[in-house]
Amino acid sequence: MTIGALSPSLVFVLTGVFALLLIATSTVGVAVAATRVFGGPTWILASPILPELRARLRSWWIMAASFSVCLLLGRAASLAFLALVSFLVLREYLSVTPFHASDRMGLFVAYAMIPLQYGWIARGHAEAAAMVPIATLAALGAIVAMRGAARDFLRSSALVIWGVLVAIVALGHLALIVSMPASLGYIAGGPGLMLFVVFVCQIGDVAQYIAGKSLGRRRAVPGISPNKTVAGYAGGLAASALAAALLGPYITPMSCGESLAIGAALGLLGCLGGLTISAVKRDLGVKDMGQLLPGHGGALDRADSLVFAAPFFYHYLALAH
Amino acid sequence: MRDRLREWCHRIVVRPMIRGFFGLRVTHGERLPRTGPAILVANHNSHFDTLALFALFSPSAAGLLRSVAAQDYFRSGSLIGWIARRLLGVITVARAWRPAEGDPLAGCSAALASGEILILYPEGTRGTPGRMSELKAGVAYLARRHPTVPVIPITLDGVDRVLPKGAIIPLPLRVAAHVGRPRRWAGGDYRDFMAELRAALASAV
């Protein structure tokens, strides 16, 4: 069956995503209901993570639904969706960053890079992502030149560049991925590739969360991310590799073995992305970037695993396929 | 009186713009009044403060909001004055009171009597972000005159980064609003009432 711009294999995978969500939601619902009715183990109701788990699942439904609708509506809708994600991530980053009044112009520059980059990508200019950091620097240079005072220039421009790199350039690689052409014998095309990298990274995060909560004890990097355990990272990595091996041959041009290796690499880069954003949050003294997605935090708290994984996946595909 | 134009302006422009484009984080939103009369008291660092306060409310309650501003700033006849009066429900008060003009708070009292919600910035003018200035006494006089009306302190944070004094274009950044415990006039000295309000506003800054 083909729905809109999506190939049958893609529709099948998306259906699988919603089936997973349905299983997770009903498992939690049935466990709670059964405990209430039959008086099962009280720890289920008293568990402090139960409200968080429910909030997380609710947010997952909304994220999966909006993501699917955008894939369904085609490339323009996907680009608009990603531009919105970039905007939300940049806004929550700038909202918690200590800026001086004199840095104000630079923040407008950061926002201006969103239409610039996505406009270029929409017109088929794949080098847009490489150009955006340089355009940002040039604009910041013009501002400091007009102001005529260099005090704190490196500090304030570094804050802007960080936001632009993470929110616009790194996540913008998803737009490059969704724009990739469908080659011969491989019909899922760009949407399939984007679904692949997002799913592999997010399933890694979910597995990391579950493994870390249930069997994790030894903290991996207490100085940066105190809740992350060694078992959590191992579980996340395994889940990413496994999910990639299952999906890869189906919706990407990669073979099963190749998908397994790429899945492991994506999982590893996902962990690194999470840790890097955690280090930023620690340094700024905030727990979450925002509260856009109840149970998860802000948009960047959910997308941090894609910050390095998406560019890696794009360049791997561009070079190897 | 519910103002339909203000209500629709809020539904179509103010609320989506502030909540969607700029971002608003509210703590203790359940303390906000659902209907008037009530007096909201907030710290004032930006012209954006009033829009942020409007966005805290549902469209139907927003139709009841009236913000109180200095007469000289929102002159009648000017475009700004019209927008302020018609779309933001501004009631103007003279900065300096002259006996010949009668009761300076008559407009505020009338609004409360007809069940509206007043927005007051008792610092008098836009102050320095992160620091509460001394409060003007008007809010205490109003509370004494209407002892059944709740006075709700609301601390706004980050609005001065969206639109600082002197800036023209607002920058999309998240704004935080902390709603304090409602209080009523319970007799005593008006200076104590203001000190308590000031402490409530400053504690969340």
Side-chain angles (χ1 to χ4, degrees), chain B residues 72-135:
Chain B
D72 49 282
Y73 209 98
F74 298 102
R75 286 188 319 274
S76 55
S78 68
L79 178 69
I80 299 276
W82 183 84
I83 292 173
R85 254 175 271 272
R86 199 62 199 87
L87 300 182
L88 296 177
V90 163
I91 298 174
T92 51
V93 174
R95 275 187 214 268
W97 176 65
R98 281 182 289 272
E101 286 163 5
D103 178 9
L105 298 174
C108 300
S109 274
L112 288 176
S114 64
E116 292 179 316
I117 304 172
L118 286 185
I119 296 173
L120 288 176
Y121 300 110
E123 287 174 287
T125 188
R126 287 171 296 162
T128 314
R131 221 179 48 226
M132 283 298 296
S133 315
E134 280 306 318
L135 304 193

Side-chain angles (χ1 to χ4, degrees), chain A residues 53-281:
Chain A
L53 202 61
R54 288 179 143 173
R56 268 181 176 243
L57 277 169
R58 251 198 308 279
S59 298
W60 271 124
W61 277 104
I62 295 167
M63 285 188 282
S66 42
F67 185 79
S68 309
V69 166
C70 288
L71 279 186
L72 211 74
L73 290 177
R75 179 163 170 267
S78 301
L79 292 191
F81 176 75
L82 291 168
L84 176 69
V85 171
S86 283
F87 172 76
L88 293 171
V89 168
L90 184 64
R91 188 181 74 186
E92 65 191 22
Y93 165 78
L94 294 177
S95 295
V96 294
T97 313
F99 274 106
H100 297 173
S102 56
D103 302 335
R104 205 175 133 80
M105 276 290 279
L107 307 205
F108 282 109
V109 168
Y111 282 112
M113 291 303 142
I114 297 174
L116 187 73
Q117 176 186 274
Y118 287 97
W120 273 344
I121 293 177
R123 296 183 61 179
H125 182 53
E127 286 79 16
M131 198 54 221
V132 162
I134 300 166
T136 311
L137 271 189
L140 293 175
I143 292 169
V144 78
M146 281 191 291
R147 201 168 69 218
R151 201 181 146 75
D152 269 351
F153 175 58
L154 190 58
R155 183 200 59 82
S156 64
S157 53
L159 290 177
V160 174
I161 282 288
W162 252 96
V164 168
L165 277 180
V166 169
I168 306 174
V169 178
L171 294 178
H173 278 78
L174 289 173
L176 294 176
I177 290 170
V178 83
S179 304
M180 284 182 129
S183 44
L184 205 66
Y186 157 60
I187 48 170
L193 300 173
M194 178 158 91
L195 180 63
F196 175 82
V197 67
V198 170
F199 184 77
V200 166
C201 286
Q202 298 301 332
I203 205 76
D205 281 356
V206 171
Q208 211 181 85
Y209 175 77
I210 295 171
K213 290 270 183 210
S214 53
L215 44 92
R217 211 152 291 128
R218 234 181 78 213
R219 293 175 173 187
V221 203
I224 294 175
S225 203
N227 286 329
K228 296 287 158 65
T229 62
V230 177
Y233 279 129
L237 216 59
S240 287
L242 202 68
L246 282 175
L247 286 181
Y250 200 53
I251 54 170
T252 80
M254 301 188 293
S255 68
C256 186
E258 188 186 6
S259 298
L260 187 78
I262 291 301
L266 291 176
L268 211 58
L269 287 169
C271 298
L272 186 63
L275 275 171
T276 310
I277 300 305
S278 287
V280 172
K281 287 186 280 192

Side-chain angles (χ1 to χ4, degrees), chain B residues 10-23:
Chain B
H10 181 269
R11 190 172 278 136
I12 295 169
V13 183
V14 177
R15 202 174 149 98
M17 184 180 78
I18 305 294
R19 292 221 169 215
F21 191 61
F22 290 92

Side-chain angles (χ1 to χ4, degrees), chain B residues 137-168:
Chain B
V139 56
Y141 293 141
L142 262 184
R144 190 170 60 183
R145 202 183 287 178
H146 305 271
T148 55
V149 173
V151 179
I152 301 137
I154 301 177
T155 313
L156 296 170
D157 186 30
V159 188
D160 54 283
R161 304 210 316 165
V162 172
L163 189 71
K165 249 179 176 174
I168 300 167

Side-chain angles (χ1 to χ4, degrees), chain B residues 5-107:
Chain B
L5 180 65
R6 223 177 298 148
E7 210 174 298
W8 276 101
C9 168
H10 181 269
R11 190 172 278 136
I12 295 169
V13 183
V14 177
R15 202 174 149 98
M17 184 180 78
I18 305 294
R19 292 221 169 215
F21 191 61
F22 290 92
L24 182 65
R25 175 185 274 192
V26 189
T27 40
H28 287 301
E30 79 284 354
R31 290 171 176 170
L32 291 168
R34 280 167 201 283
T35 176
I39 302 174
L40 310 179
V41 172
N43 55 329
H44 197 23
N45 298 312
S46 165
H47 284 316
F48 215 72
D49 288 332
T50 307
L51 291 176
L53 288 174
F54 263 73
L56 292 174
F57 288 87
S58 67
S60 60
L64 294 171
L65 289 175
R66 306 291 305 265
S67 74
V68 182
Q71 208 157 36
D72 49 282
Y73 209 98
F74 298 102
R75 286 188 319 274
S76 55
S78 68
L79 178 69
I80 299 276
W82 183 84
I83 292 173
R85 254 175 271 272
R86 199 62 199 87
L87 300 182
L88 296 177
V90 163
I91 298 174
T92 51
V93 174
R95 275 187 214 268
W97 176 65
R98 281 182 289 272
E101 286 163 5
D103 178 9
L105 298 174

